[in-house]
Amino acid sequence: MPVTDIIAVLLIFAATGIIGLFITRLVNLPYSLILVGLGFVLALSVEAFGWDSGIRASNFQDLMLFVLLPVLIFEAAFSLDSKLLFRFMPNVLTLATIGLLVSTVATAVFIFYGIGHPGFPFIAALITGAVISATDPVAVVAQLKALNAPAELNVLIEGESLFNDATAIALFTILVGIGLGTVEADVTDGVIQFMKIFFGGVAVGVVMGYLFALTLHIFTVTLPGLILVTIVLSYGSFYIGEHFLHVSGIVAVLFAAIVFKKVAAGQLAELEPQVHHVWESIGFIANVFVFVLLGLVITVEMFTERWIAIALAIIAATLARTVAVYVSVWLNRVTVGQATDSRYPPIMIWGGLRGAVTIALVLSLPTELPYWWTIQSIGFGVVLFTLLVQATTNPWLVKKTLSKPTES
């Protein structure tokens, strides 16, 4: 696309975000849901006026993964309470690994037997389970902060999302390879490949975060300089991990942010609140683009042709999420980790929205898979359900649940 067209698209998306802010004053709906609706209206205008946004299924994944997700991940990881995160790290990792695997398998079994069609094999159900098990609690975390929910609940939900996105992407990559026949359906090989992708991302993030923290000793630390360093760190760690080393870019960004913040604590002491404010603004703008893009690529045909599969997936995802959360909480109680407040699991279950990662994954499905359209439709359907139903009712659930006394 010509540069002028790119600028025009950016301006239109930004203007859509501003319109969404006006609408939030008139209706009591989550901002993310309003943006999706406006994105859908924008998509209709593309057809009506022949306007070309330049967004295609072929470039949507790269736009989401390489442009928007790095800043969203870095902002979320950088803003997390480090002390609480390390305190609840066993809980977060249990939810993001064992919990996600339990959710993926449980969802797959339910969908496979529910659809019961020879054209939708079990590997297709497993891919679907991985896709719709990746949580994206942007709207929920904003609601929790507005409701002054406990900080540990924020850390559990947001921390899990950051880690389980990485787990879901790594698992999705392996399962798609099995579906295409390029990867052998061997559990041992799958585990080895997963460990390579995940812990390779950890290594990249730790090294990048440490090196960039050391650069702050070289020059006088100012706010503009810090912002520049952190932007290069977020995109650089993702790009090096994902593009050059073929490990998890999400994990790389996540650990880069955590390590950088810890190692550079002394240099960040006075400027950290201001850095947070700037990154909060960057994250807000990125979220506007994400949800407008989601609305832009939705089509009515997805729901009219695959509504039964979508309904089954919504039920499966909700039940599987319930099992995954309670299994994870029980494991932490009997092994390692902090005891989770008995009021939190219902909020963690209902607050497990799906969003950017789910959409990026379903749009990256190879069309060589005969069932790609069904999985893609399911992904869109589950995302819309979580935004329409779960995000809008979650504030009521939070108020009702947290008003109860903690069970001993």
Side-chain angles (χ1 to χ4, degrees):
M1 288 180 68
V3 174
T4 52
D5 289 350
I6 294 174
I7 294 174
V9 170
L10 294 176
L11 288 174
I12 291 170
F13 278 26
T16 303
I18 294 172
I19 294 170
L21 290 173
F22 282 114
I23 295 176
T24 56
R25 301 185 63 181
L26 304 175
V27 295
N28 187 26
L29 289 173
Y31 184 52
S32 55
L33 178 58
I34 292 172
L35 290 175
V36 172
L38 290 173
F40 183 71
V41 172
L42 195 60
L44 296 179
S45 71
V46 170
E47 297 179 9
F49 300 103
W51 174 67
D52 185 5
S53 67
I55 306 299
R56 304 285 187 274
S58 59
N59 62 25
F60 184 89
Q61 185 204 21
D62 288 342
L63 178 61
M64 192 72 79
L65 287 178
F66 285 92
V67 179
L68 297 174
L69 278 184
V71 294
L72 289 173
I73 295 161
F74 191 92
E75 188 272 329
F78 195 79
S79 64
L80 278 175
D81 186 321
S82 298
K83 291 182 179 178
L84 272 180
L85 177 62
F86 286 114
R87 179 185 167 195
F88 284 94
M89 186 62 78
N91 303 63
V92 167
L93 290 177
T94 303
L95 283 163
T97 54
I98 296 173
L100 183 127
L101 292 173
V102 168
S103 177
T104 298
V105 174
T107 301
V109 170
F110 190 97
I111 293 176
F112 176 71
Y113 287 105
I115 292 179
H117 192 280
F120 197 80
F122 192 65
I123 186 62
L126 282 172
I127 294 172
T128 306
V131 163
I132 63 177
S133 293
T135 58
D136 181 20
V138 173
V140 170
V141 170
Q143 290 171 349
L144 292 176
K145 290 178 180 177
L147 295 169
N148 293 318
E152 61 187 42
L153 179 57
N154 278 319
V155 166
L156 282 171
I157 292 178
E158 195 164 9
E160 179 213 351
S161 173
L162 287 170
F163 280 94
N164 87 356
D165 284 349
T167 310
I169 290 175
L171 184 60
F172 171 84
T173 303
I174 295 169
L175 292 173
V176 168
I178 294 173
L180 292 172
T182 58
V183 175
E184 291 186 13
D186 182 89
V187 175
T188 303
D189 289 343
V191 170
I192 292 173
Q193 187 175 355
F194 175 81
M195 300 288 277
K196 175 187 173 184
I197 292 172
F198 188 90
F199 288 103
V202 172
V204 172
V206 169
V207 171
M208 293 284 289
Y210 186 78
L211 290 177
F212 273 68
L214 292 181
T215 63
L216 300 186
H217 295 279
I218 300 174
F219 56 85
T220 303
V221 179
T222 62
L223 181 61
L226 261 179
I227 300 303
L228 181 61
V229 167
T230 51
I231 288 175
V232 174
L233 176 59
S234 63
Y235 280 112
S237 55
F238 188 94
Y239 192 78
I240 289 172
E242 198 78 27
H243 185 71
F244 286 110
L245 302 178
H246 305 294
V247 297
S248 175
I250 287 183
V251 173
V253 176
L254 173 59
F255 277 88
I258 293 171
V259 171
F260 177 81
K261 184 178 178 181
K262 187 168 184 61
V263 175
Q267 289 72 32
L268 290 171
E270 296 182 2
L271 294 174
E272 188 172 339
Q274 295 166 273
V275 175
H276 277 305
H277 288 314
V278 173
W279 268 99
E280 189 176 18
S281 300
I282 295 172
F284 175 81
I285 294 169
N287 271 310
V288 167
F289 280 69
V290 165
F291 287 106
V292 172
L293 281 169
L294 296 191
L296 195 66
V297 296
I298 288 173
T299 64
V300 175
E301 289 76 18
M302 291 179 173
F303 308 103
T304 57
E305 296 178 9
R306 294 290 186 271
W307 66 271
I308 295 178
I310 291 171
L312 285 170
I314 289 170
I315 297 170
T318 305
L319 293 176
R321 175 75 180 164
T322 302
V323 173
V325 168
Y326 277 104
V327 166
S328 301
V329 168
W330 175 79
L331 281 173
N332 288 129
R333 187 171 296 155
V334 299
T335 55
V336 294
Q338 300 294 319
T340 304
D341 191 311
S342 59
R343 300 171 299 173
Y344 294 170
I347 300 172
M348 294 161 66
I349 292 165
W350 202 241
L353 307 187
R354 278 68 167 180
V357 172
T358 295
I359 300 300
L361 291 180
V362 296
L363 285 175
S364 69
L365 283 166
T367 53
E368 292 85 356
L369 295 173
Y371 37 78
W372 71 273
W373 174 249
T374 300
I375 299 177
Q376 190 173 106
S377 300
I378 288 173
F380 275 91
V382 171
V383 168
L384 274 186
F385 175 82
T386 60
L387 289 175
L388 280 168
V389 179
Q390 292 178 217
T392 55
T393 56
N394 198 62
W396 172 83
L397 177 65
V398 172
K399 291 177 183 177
K400 184 176 179 63
T401 305
L402 294 183
S403 65
K404 298 178 182 178
T406 306
E407 295 179 9
S408 57

